[in-house]
Amino acid sequence: MSTIEQFGYRQELQRSLGFADLMIYGLIFMVPIAPFGIFGNVFAVSHGMVALAYAVGLVAMAFTALSYAQMARAFPMAGSVYTYAGRGIAAPVGFIAGWAILLDYVLVPSLLYLVASVAMNSFIPVIPVWAWLAAFVVLNTVVNYLGIQMTARITRIMLVAELAVLAIFLVVGGVALAQGKAQTSAFTPIFESSGFTWSVVFAAASVAVLSFLGFDGISTLAEESREDARRLGRSMVAALGLAAVLFVVQTWIAALLTPNREALIANGDPAGSAFYDTAEFAGGHWLSVLTAVATAVAWGFANSLVAQAATSRLLFAMARDRQLPSFLAKVDAKHKVPVNATLVVAVISLVLGIYMSTRTNGIGELASLVNFGAMFAFLLLHVAVVVHYMIRQRSTNWLAHLVVPVLGFAVLVAVVYNQNVAAQWVGGIWLAVGLIILAVTYVIGRRPVLPSEVK
């Protein structure tokens, strides 16, 4: 089993997580009921073919998960795609990959906190959005500071609660279908000839893929896993596969029961209530309230809890390599967590979340930016697999080290090409800033350099 000492690092974080902990962490990061919150948007963009959009999103992420698993075996360290691109290709490429995925990781907690806070404010308006947001941030920061084991225990409880709510919706939805409440044929959520085009499908997948982001967060816990690197990779694939089944099933049932289908396709879902309206149609107001509150708690506490943990590990890894300020690499002596990185993520989430809550379409603006950074970083991940294994190692495993990454790269290009134009522009600007920073580091003589492997 490879150790991080082989790559010039000291083991500072606590190794305490098993296979089940890692898989549950990934499931919570993805959120088993994630489609609840973005169902209306995916429905509108896909012209009602929601289940197909999630199936295509699964294909894109499945190739990426397999590439992650290969790189986790080669480089069992924290840092996710930053580490894999840096070690697999070159340190400067790793910096760009890390910089790209930071756009996803840093914004995701803010987005999650904001969505949850707006939802809670709709039920308890006497407490303003900013107060809900601050409460979520403080709660999650305390839990993360107490150590990764505390985070793992909390996520197990939250996963059970989310699955219970999902089971209730599936049962009630199934009963509603049996009673003849379906608004369309059984195959429409999978394929509708009048609305099908590949551009529609990939555009919808670019939105649906938001629900899958999080399986990769497992890789950020490589230095806190007591499993070998192969089982770390398997936990990513297992979490992704299980989440995909849940996503397709729940969106298929919801799409069959969605009232006012034509209006939703034509006008979109600006209020974000399409799923809850469908739940009310299927089972009554109580089900609408249950699914809405579950979404708020899942996004604002469970999902943002693990998102904050993953982001802090990415900052820690980059700072340890002197590619971000060194104070972010400080590890708490008692709890064995990157304490300064955890606090920085909390502050950014709080400030950005409160600011975006004052904007007319703050949630939409944040959501449109989250996917771009991850997709670009995943493209570099696939390249890293080919460079490291096929070129450097002369691998003969053509399927895992050439076919899978090439197909994954091609699918992701199609997804990125069909993304929101504003997200493409802002994402492009973000990457340009990263390239400028990289150029400056060369000018001042501090180009990215990773600790050398001990021979």
Side-chain angles (χ1 to χ4, degrees), residues 113-131:
Y113 286 131
L114 182 56
V115 169
S117 300
V118 169
M120 293 304 295
N121 174 257
S122 68
F123 291 108
I124 310 177
V126 68
I127 301 178
V129 171
W130 68 264

Side-chain angles (χ1 to χ4, degrees), residues 435-448:
L435 289 171
I436 292 172
I437 293 175
L438 181 61
V440 170
T441 63
Y442 272 85
V443 171
I444 65 177
R446 291 194 51 166
R447 65 183 181 85

Side-chain angles (χ1 to χ4, degrees), residues 26-27 29-36 39 50-51 54-55 58 166 170 208-213 239-254:
L27 281 173
F29 205 153
M30 285 182 283
V31 185
I33 58 175
F36 286 15
F39 174 79
V50 190
Y54 274 96
L58 167 63
L166 178 56
L170 295 179
V209 79
L210 175 65
S211 300
F212 289 106
L213 298 182
L240 179 67
L242 181 55
V245 171
L246 297 177
F247 292 166
V248 171
V249 171
Q250 67 188 272
T251 55
W252 177 68
I253 290 178

Side-chain angles (χ1 to χ4, degrees), residues 12 14 145-147 149 330-337 339:
E12 297 180 89
Q14 183 179 7
Y145 173 72
L146 291 177
Q149 287 183 305
K330 178 178 173 57
V331 174
D332 183 82
K334 179 179 179 181
H335 299 292
K336 303 299 182 182
V337 297
V339 57

Side-chain angles (χ1 to χ4, degrees), residues 305-351:
L305 176 69
V306 294
Q308 184 179 28
T311 305
S312 65
R313 271 61 178 181
L314 175 60
L315 295 176
F316 163 77
M318 294 184 73
R320 181 175 59 183
D321 291 336
R322 299 179 63 203
Q323 297 190 25
L324 287 177
S326 60
F327 82 95
L328 293 172
K330 178 178 173 57
V331 174
D332 183 82
K334 179 179 179 181
H335 299 292
K336 303 299 182 182
V337 297
V339 57
N340 287 346
T342 299
L343 294 176
V344 165
V345 175
V347 172
I348 293 174
S349 299
L350 180 62
V351 174

